[in-house]
Amino acid sequence: MKTPHWLVTALATAALLAGCSSMPSSAELDAKANQAIKSSFRDQGIAKTDRLNQDLGQSACSSDKPPSDAVADKIMAEALASVKLPANGQYLGDWKAGERLAQDGRGMTWTDASTDPKANGGNCYNCHQIDKKEISYGTIGPSLWNYGKNRGINDLSSPAFAPIAQYTWVKLWNAKAFAACSNMPRFGYKGLLNEQQLRDIMALLLDPKSPVNQ
Amino acid sequence: MHTRREMLARSAKVAGLLAAAGFLPMSALAAWPQAAFDAKNMADAVKALGGTSAPAESKDVTITGPDIAENGAVVPVGVATTLPGVKRLLLLVEKNPSVLAAVFDVTDSVEANLNTRVKMGQSSNVFAVAMMNDGKVLYASKEIKVTLGGCGG
Amino acid sequence: MADPMRIRAQAAGDKVTVRVLMSHEMETGQRKDSAGKVIPAWFIQEVTATHNGKPVLTAEWGPSVAKNPFLQFVIKGGKAGDKVAITWVDNKGDKRTDEATVS
Amino acid sequence: MRTQTLIGLAVLALCAGAQAQKSTADGIAEYRKMLEDGNPADLFEAKGEALWKQKRGPKNASLEQCDLGLGPGVVKGAFVALPRYFPDTQKVQDLETRLVSCMVMLQGFDGAEIAKTPFGRGEMANVTALATWVAAESRGMRFNLPQGNVAERESYEIGKRAFYFRGGTHDFSCASCHGESGKRIRLQDLPDLTKNPGDGIGFAAWPAYRVSNGQMWSMQLRLNDCFRQQRFPYPGFGSEVTIALATYMGVNAKGAESIAPSIKR
């Protein structure tokens, strides 16, 4: 984006006229904010200050305005390329284990002992309705009730299954593949859940036997 | 000089002896009723508190509490009855490790209407019990759902 | 020493509604600390209330009464200016008494 | 006949569904209402008031001459105008860091030592109790933070940037949960903190008694635990980001009525 020279001059003059009480420029404030963030945190347990080093997907989504289309496209392309599909094309695990993971909001905080995915939950109900029997669900993400059923998966041999399963796996692995600034954690990419855990959550969403699809 | 703990232990023993001899006065309950708090269900708790008849459900006993508790750590509950001749009111949580939560020995100077807050480990029936002077044991129950909280909860 | 209670006693007609908050951990004895050691039970076992010095209510509590306990009851035949005193005793033998004037 | 019964049952089931939906929200509202009368925050408020008046510390002085921004000893109204800039410390300070400054200047306490103390322990527990009482003295008043000073405006701008800063293992920022209206996490409503979320909501509700752990939570602890749940590293007590976020939320809450200290899940 180009700013006309006359505007820059006018703004600079206005700033000068405002004198000592003038505010720093937006760029200066950005620098000050970054400095403040650096100096305000310290390591605690497994939560180290390197968690503040942003990748593009984080830094470009750190304001009240979305990134440019070009940047968003780059984030999505990189996210898509990062996805590891499951070994042997085995997408589904055990929906009961998936439900337990969906209920579990633990993991990766400074009060947690280990960064091993086995110590982590999926946090799903914090943001999504999933099994209708659970009344304590969040609304930051869409309802996932009847997730598989609504997408035409009545049995696992249905032709709808393969593309939906792949889409869902990618979404769970790295949600930025479909929305650059998605609110959803990148469960596979960031090592929050392992392959088996992802399969279990996949089963909760897609298995026709899962209570989610009744 | 006796410590309070020794005194309590002693008065418990004395109360036990008195009870065995059939001389249990009201004030003997100054010692904490350990057996009642160890009980695993309502009937046993009532028995441990000297109740002689089986608890019967009654519309004359009221239990108050929310249908849903946002957090099980603090659940407001109340027990009340309009019947005259109440000796003791109890609050119990069916699925807690210690079922009995509170015992209130009421006098004529207070209304048979008490409110407190209990902990609940999970969704459970909560019982309000009125032990009457005539030996009747009446109760009301209510299911209270305990929900899971956000984030790590 | 335990922190003071908050006692509110309000008269309406010839009845006095008493609301008490007590400062107490009410530890169940069922929880473990971060090192896996059981945190010993520590809870109020007995609460007594007096109205102008006369005992009106005794309560025995177990560990499932909530932390920083709340108790509400109604005294018959009370009026503004009366004294209501509450005493609690916990399983370690600690005790505390506080008094309030009915308003 | 059979069909009719089935339809009847289906309608019943639908109604039950609708009722269950309604009763969840109603049930929670009823629960919260029941807890309002007899908020254990009262216990901390009373303790805070006693601490304010009590002669303590190496200098054996009370805090009664503490300047919370409206002049020495003025408590009423101070809470709804914090954080603000203080010439004597040349810093923008929130309620808690200001209380620590007063404990240092008037009572001779070691401020760095207090800042290092975990929440709920020692002098930090006293700071929380004091903050609870000071906040309570402004109950019913409306937030109106001063923004006349450059440092105050800068604090707001830094706070805004920190609010949207994404990081950590889960890519969360404050805005992930608090950047939109009408959302909830599990059953808890999430205030939109980018604007005035309404009377007694968000910034206007803390300090608050937390039912889940039976603790009194100040705004510093509230922010600390937000960052923990965000999977961020540990924010220092009174660190620049925490003050800036408080300024951002406080200025956004302009006009909101304070109900602090409140009671929360």
Side-chain angles (χ1 to χ4, degrees):
Chain A
M1 200 181 79
K2 283 214 178 88
T3 314
H5 283 293
W6 63 266
L7 183 57
V8 174
T9 321
L11 285 172
T13 316
L16 273 176
L17 283 175
C20 310
S21 66
S22 76
M23 281 287 284
S25 71
S26 184
E28 280 171 311
L29 286 166
D30 288 348
K32 278 179 184 241
N34 281 327
Q35 190 48 47
I37 288 163
K38 266 208 175 67
S39 68
S40 291
F41 294 89
R42 63 169 165 80
D43 290 353
Q44 175 95 346
I46 61 170
K48 313 281 191 221
T49 50
D50 63 6
R51 292 188 180 186
L52 300 171
N53 302 334
Q54 296 176 305
D55 62 18
L56 179 66
Q58 291 174 328
S59 63
C61 301
S62 284
S63 95
D64 53 353
K65 288 169 197 70
S68 69
D69 287 351
V71 171
D73 287 345
K74 185 167 189 279
I75 293 169
M76 289 193 282
E78 284 178 8
L80 190 58
S82 80
V83 177
K84 243 183 77 193
L85 293 177
N88 313 322
Q90 184 59 46
Y91 279 108
L92 301 192
D94 169 13
W95 64 261
K96 287 192 197 89
E99 168 70 14
R100 281 195 296 277
L101 283 164
Q103 290 281 0
D104 188 345
R106 281 174 303 181
M108 294 296 196
T109 73
W110 70 62
T111 47
D112 292 301
S114 160
T115 56
D116 188 325
K118 288 192 193 104
N120 298 342
N123 280 288
C124 312
Y125 280 102
N126 276 330
C127 299
H128 296 280
Q129 181 182 44
I130 311 175
D131 183 349
K132 267 203 168 156
K133 278 199 290 297
E134 177 54 83
I135 56 168
S136 181
Y137 62 88
T139 60
I140 296 173
S143 171
L144 303 175
W145 170 246
N146 281 174
Y147 181 88
K149 195 178 175 185
N150 287 344
R151 287 161 179 78
I153 300 173
N154 299 316
D155 63 88
L156 295 176
S157 61
S158 94
F161 179 73
I164 296 295
Q166 195 183 70
Y167 165 82
T168 309
W169 184 272
V170 173
K171 182 89 187 171
L172 285 167
W173 191 275
N174 192 335
K176 286 179 178 291
F178 303 122
C181 292
S182 170
N183 275 327
M184 189 161 132
R186 295 172 280 181
F187 290 103
Y189 178 71
K190 287 290 221 171
L192 307 178
L193 296 174
N194 63 30
E195 244 188 65
Q196 187 51 45
Q197 290 169 314
L198 289 174
R199 281 195 197 96
D200 294 338
I201 291 173
M202 289 283 288
L204 178 67
L205 297 175
L206 291 168
D207 193 327
K209 292 194 290 291
S210 158
V212 170
N213 294 314
Q214 304 313 308
Chain B
M1 173 116 183
H2 293 288
T3 65
R4 186 182 158 83
R5 199 180 298 263
E6 283 164 351
M7 289 289 282
L8 281 175
R10 249 181 102 213
S11 54
K13 223 180 251 167
V14 172
L17 290 171
L18 283 171
F23 294 123
L24 186 65
M26 276 289 286
S27 60
L29 262 163
W32 192 68
Q34 180 78 48
F37 284 100
D38 286 344
K40 296 287 170 223
N41 58 56
M42 171 168 51
D44 288 353
V46 165
K47 220 178 280 168
L49 289 167
T52 46
S53 58
E57 196 154 10
S58 164
K59 277 202 231 54
D60 295 319
V61 178
T62 337
I63 174 141
T64 49
D67 295 337
I68 301 175
E70 202 175 8
N71 197 291
V74 179
V75 184
V77 286
V79 47
T81 179
T82 47
L83 296 172
V86 184
K87 184 156 106 186
R88 195 171 285 159
L89 295 170
L90 326 179
L91 282 164
L92 305 96
V93 181
E94 191 176 34
K95 290 192 183 162
N96 273 5
S98 173
V99 170
L100 182 61
V103 181
F104 300 98
D105 300 323
V106 294
T107 63
D108 288 341
S109 306
V110 293
E111 290 188 354
N113 180 358
L114 286 127
N115 288 280
T116 184
R117 294 167 184 169
V118 297
K119 300 182 194 113
M120 291 178 65
Q122 55 185 308
S123 298
S124 168
N125 281 323
V126 178
F127 300 115
V129 179
M131 295 175 69
M132 312 302 287
N133 284 329
D134 64 8
K136 281 206 190 85
V137 179
L138 307 169
Y139 78 92
S141 79
K142 176 183 176 74
E143 195 201 354
I144 298 181
K145 277 203 192 91
V146 173
T147 63
L148 277 177
C151 298
Chain C
M1 217 199 51
D3 286 328
M5 287 177 239
R6 289 284 258 184
I7 305 172
R8 286 176 299 155
Q10 281 165 320
D14 65 343
K15 287 179 181 160
V16 174
T17 301
V18 183
R19 296 181 184 85
V20 191
L21 279 165
M22 304 163 214
S23 185
H24 204 284
E25 287 298 317
M26 300 302 286
E27 194 59 61
T28 58
Q30 311 263 347
R31 296 198 312 152
K32 287 178 180 163
D33 64 13
S34 48
K37 249 183 63 190
V38 173
I39 306 170
W42 179 30
F43 58 96
I44 292 174
Q45 286 193 306
E46 188 185 81
V47 181
T48 48
T50 61
H51 174 219
N52 292 333
K54 183 183 125 202
V56 290
L57 176 72
T58 305
E60 290 90 32
W61 284 356
S64 49
V65 169
K67 181 170 173 177
N68 293 321
F70 173 77
L71 171 65
Q72 179 179 318
F73 61 95
V74 178
I75 298 173
K76 296 187 231 171
K79 59 183 187 310
D82 287 0
K83 302 279 186 204
V84 174
I86 309 286
T87 299
W88 58 250
V89 184
D90 70 21
N91 65 323
K92 292 182 182 176
D94 282 342
K95 64 190 290 181
R96 166 136 205 138
T97 301
D98 288 279
E99 193 182 65
T101 305
V102 177
S103 63
Chain D
M1 182 66 191
R2 200 184 152 82
T3 330
Q4 262 180 349
T5 318
L6 277 177
I7 290 170
L9 280 174
V11 169
L12 265 179
L14 276 174
C15 293
Q19 225 159 26
Q21 273 302 319
K22 190 165 170 284
S23 74
T24 300
D26 286 357
I28 295 288
E30 177 197 28
Y31 170 80
R32 290 178 187 161
K33 190 91 203 129
M34 283 174 151
L35 288 185
E36 267 170 25
D37 193 16
N39 180 355
D42 279 10
L43 295 164
F44 298 83
E45 191 184 322
K47 186 178 166 193
E49 181 175 14
L51 281 165
W52 179 264
K53 294 170 180 169
Q54 192 188 336
K55 290 196 172 106
R56 295 193 329 122
K59 293 188 185 170
N60 195 34
S62 80
L63 288 169
E64 285 161 307
Q65 287 305 303
C66 175
D67 183 351
L68 297 169
L70 303 179
V74 182
V75 177
K76 195 178 165 65
F79 174 64
V80 290
L82 284 168
R84 70 190 300 147
Y85 178 78
F86 288 87
D88 56 358
T89 54
Q90 301 192 333
K91 276 185 201 151
V92 175
Q93 297 188 291
D94 68 354
L95 173 56
E96 288 155 83
T97 50
R98 186 58 191 172
L99 283 166
V100 172
S101 289
C102 284
M103 289 165 78
V104 171
M105 293 186 287
L106 299 172
Q107 299 181 309
F109 281 104
D110 180 342
E113 202 50 49
I114 297 175
K116 271 196 291 187
T117 309
F119 290 103
R121 306 260 178 83
E123 285 303 325
M124 186 62 93
N126 289 339
V127 172
T128 301
L130 282 161
T132 304
W133 175 67
V134 171
E137 288 293 290
S138 293
R139 200 186 268 121
M141 297 177 74
R142 295 184 181 279
F143 278 92
N144 189 14
L145 270 61
Q147 282 279 284
N149 187 292
V150 178
E152 289 164 347
R153 295 205 294 276
E154 230 182 81
S155 183
Y156 178 88
E157 289 296 329
I158 290 169
K160 180 175 180 181
R161 283 159 177 78
F163 187 84
Y164 284 99
F165 184 92
R166 285 210 191 196
T169 53
H170 287 53
D171 304 329
F172 292 148
S173 68
C174 306
S176 304
C177 287
H178 296 289
E180 260 186 286
S181 303
K183 301 285 182 186
R184 40 173 238 232
I185 190 158
R186 290 280 188 169
L187 280 173
Q188 282 78 53
D189 296 319
L190 295 164
D192 179 353
L193 300 173
T194 65
K195 60 187 184 87
N196 175 357
D199 291 348
I201 300 173
F203 194 72
W206 299 86
Y209 181 78
R210 283 297 298 268
V211 161
S212 46
N213 48 27
Q215 294 166 356
M216 193 68 216
W217 277 29
S218 62
M219 181 46 72
Q220 280 287 332
L221 177 50
R222 173 62 279 183
L223 287 174
N224 180 282
D225 200 62
C226 278
F227 279 125
R228 187 182 69 84
Q229 306 268 22
Q230 259 174 264
R231 277 77 180 177
F232 271 42
Y234 195 95
F237 173 85
S239 58
E240 193 177 353
V241 158
T242 62
I243 306 287
L245 281 170
T247 306
Y248 177 67
M249 292 187 287
V251 170
N252 289 345
K254 187 182 166 88
E257 183 186 328
S258 172
I259 60 158
S262 71
I263 184 161
K264 296 272 183 187
R265 188 192 80 80

